[in-house]
Every structure is written in structure tokens, then in C-alpha cells.
Amino acid sequence: MKNNLINHYILFTYTMSDYIKITEASSNYDDLELMDTKAILLGINAEDHKIADAVALCIPEITKFVDFLAERFVKGGRLFYIGAGTSGRLGILDASEIPPTYGLPHTRVIGIIAGGDTAIRTPVENAEDDEKQAWKDLESHNIGANDAVVGIAASGTTPYVIGGVKTAKERGLLTACITNNPDSPLTKVVEIAIAINVGPEFVTGSTRMKSGTAQKLVLNMISTALMIKIGRVKGNKMVNMQLSNNKLVDRGVRYVVEELRIDYDEAKILLDKYGSVKNAIEAYGK
């Protein structure tokens, strides 16, 4: 325990002295408590407008990662997100939406948060400070050479995340990070660094705001582009989505109607028989 605390102190000291955290910079606004509601909302909205432009500057790195990831994914590799707090929750959110949206098993894209599932709803103190735990968490999934690990940390200094991707890279896995501090320690230990500079937060240091939104946008881009590249989308439709409720069944029927130009009832029979939009379309006319 003492050695862990010493190592964390050394890492913390290095990260604080080596560069300035943009995510901790003072807000461009002051006296927030004196603002009326409209002024607060206008200020937040003005800051939010900067996010998409900041993400756009990272598209070359995102492109590189998705292309490398797709090569591994089609060989049976998996995508892992690791993070703590808001960053960890965002990774879990993205991963959890892959099965219903694209029909892949939940074992292909996996989100891991420091502190385990309890931390999804309730903060687990000090969980993010253990730089060895993330690799242990990854190993519990029988991590392999074709897998990829994305470390998510707004600060770029979270020991849990840094330790996880550093070990993953040493073991030959594809590694990337999503952070909001360029040149942070996290960017130094991954193959591909996606560093989104969104500037100071509206409330100083509140990285669940612009930083979190930027992370979500990048996660959307990574997983959506990956699903398109591996054939889970046809045209512009989610043809492999799980038909788990009436709304999605209706959507699936309408997709079949549009693609095959048949009536709704016939499309519904096809969808019921073959279980997915893709299978229904491919089976039609055979």
C-alpha cells in the first residue's frame, strides 16, 4: 500500500509540474452565482458551440484508430474502453448500445470503469488511483492480441487509465486514448492519442460538461464508423438492430418495405420469419 501511494505521488507530482491542465484552467466566466438563469444558459451554450470544432481537429487520429481497429475486429478482436468517473460511464454507455443498435453480442465492445459496476451509479473513492487494477480488469476478459484498448480521461493523468493502456501497449494490443489535455501523460503511453482541446469549462474543472460531451462525440464516431466498416449497416439503415420492442419492430418493417418495395404486411411476415432486417432482405426472392 505504501509503495502504491509513493508511486501515485510521483506520478501526480510529475503530471502537475510537467504541463498545465487545460481542463483545470479558470472559466472564461466569473460571478456565476450573480447571473440570472438565461445568462447562465447562454454562457453554457456559447461554450458548447466550441466542441464540434475541437473534435474536427482530431479526425486524422480518429480515422487512423478506426482503420487499425477494424482490421483487428474482423479477425475476432474486441474493443475495450477503460475510464474512471464520467469518462468510465461514457465508455460503458457507448459499449452498451452496440448490441441493440447493431446486433453484436455484448462481448465485442466492453466498457470497464474503475471501481467496477458499483461505480456506474456511486463513486468509489480512490479506485482511479490504482494504476495496476485496469490491467487486472482487462485480464478478467481473457484479453488477447487482436483486442484494442481505449483509455478515456479528461485530465490525461488518471493512474487507473494510464496503467491499463501502458500495459496493453507493452503486450502488443492496439491502444488509443481520448483526453482533453494535449501532451498529458496519457498521450505518451498509447499508440494513437485523440486529444480534444475544448478549453476551460464553464464551471472551472467541471469536466462532465464540455470535456464529457467531446468524449461522447468521439465515442460515437469510433463505434459508428467501426460498425459501418464491418458491414453492420446497409445504405443508411441499422439492418442488424435487435427487434426488442414494438417501436423497433415497426422500424424494421419499414426498412424492409423501403428496401424491397413491398407492402407492410408482407414485410412484417418476412421480418418475423427471418429475425432481422438484413436476413429478411437477403432471403427475399431466393
Side-chain angles (χ1 to χ4, degrees), residues 130-282:
D130 189 341
E131 58 186 302
K132 298 185 182 300
Q133 185 59 48
W135 181 250
K136 293 177 184 176
D137 293 341
L138 289 165
E139 281 192 309
S140 71
H141 293 273
N142 298 313
I143 198 87
N146 282 324
D147 294 332
V149 180
V150 178
I152 313 170
S155 68
T157 61
T158 308
Y160 178 87
V161 177
I162 292 174
V165 292
K166 184 174 183 292
T167 303
K169 184 181 179 183
E170 290 169 352
R171 303 296 175 90
L173 280 70
L174 173 64
T175 58
C177 71
I178 303 173
T179 182
N180 300 97
N181 277 305
D183 299 319
S184 63
L186 179 58
T187 67
K188 311 299 185 185
V189 296
V190 296
E191 186 172 347
I192 301 169
I194 302 167
I196 320 140
N197 181 358
V198 294
E201 298 288 356
F202 181 75
V203 175
T204 299
S206 182
T207 54
R208 72 183 186 89
M209 300 183 76
K210 287 195 296 179
S211 297
T213 300
Q215 291 171 6
K216 181 65 168 69
L217 291 179
V218 173
L219 289 166
N220 286 347
M221 295 169 83
I222 289 171
S223 57
T224 303
L226 174 64
M227 294 299 111
I228 293 170
K229 289 181 70 66
I230 66 170
R232 308 304 290 184
V233 173
K234 179 176 174 57
N236 57 17
K237 304 294 193 299
M238 300 175 290
V239 295
N240 290 284
M241 64 182 175
Q242 292 178 355
L243 305 175
S244 55
N245 58 48
N246 291 335
K247 178 189 73 175
L248 295 178
V249 170
D250 176 67
R251 181 186 295 166
V253 173
R254 288 186 286 104
Y255 285 176
V256 174
V257 168
E258 182 177 332
E259 181 68 23
L260 300 180
R261 301 192 182 283
I262 58 179
D263 65 38
Y264 189 96
D265 290 340
E266 185 179 2
K268 178 68 162 58
I269 292 170
L270 278 172
L271 194 63
D272 288 343
K273 181 177 180 179
Y274 293 103
S276 77
V277 174
K278 182 178 181 180
N279 290 342
I281 291 171
E282 290 178 348

